[in-house]
Amino acid sequence: MREYMKDPEFSERYREAFGDLVQDATRQAQQALALAISTLTEIMGNTDEQATARIQAARSTLEYALKLTEQTDILEQLRELERWRDETDGKH
């Protein structure tokens, strides 16, 4: 595999294929996100569920929310940097 990766054309096509795979997986995860959060919310609010299940659901929901918030913030900062770069034409 290392020998193949030394070939620029192969390496570029490999990166493209891997990027497509990651994008597809990301789309699938995004599509499942609403249902997952809804399920976790349902478990959290169901007093008939064991406390450990409710705590785990709450913990998972918080973790996902924090990660999404962090990623959204990072993407916004990246957009701002790109706007700054475009406005200053990289001169500064």
Side-chain angles (χ1 to χ4, degrees), residues 2 5 11 17 21 27 31-32 37 42 50 62 73-74:
R2 289 182 184 167
M5 292 305 284
S11 183
L21 179 68
R27 275 192 290 276
Q31 290 170 352
I37 296 296
E42 184 180 321
Q50 293 183 3
L62 287 171
D73 290 347
I74 290 170

Side-chain angles (χ1 to χ4, degrees), residues 16-29:
E16 288 174 8
F18 185 74
D20 291 344
L21 179 68
V22 170
Q23 285 180 344
D24 288 344
T26 301
R27 275 192 290 276
Q28 289 176 14

Side-chain angles (χ1 to χ4, degrees), residues 56-71:
Q56 184 59 41
R59 181 178 291 135
S60 295
T61 302
L62 287 171
E63 288 173 359
Y64 296 142
L66 290 173
K67 285 180 185 179
L68 287 171
T69 301
E70 182 180 271
Q71 289 175 354

Side-chain angles (χ1 to χ4, degrees), residues 75-89:
L75 287 173
E76 182 55 34
Q77 290 174 359
L78 180 59
R79 287 185 193 108
E80 287 178 22
L81 285 171
E82 288 173 339
R83 279 193 294 273
W84 173 80
R85 181 201 61 207
D86 292 343
E87 289 171 2
T88 62
D89 195 30

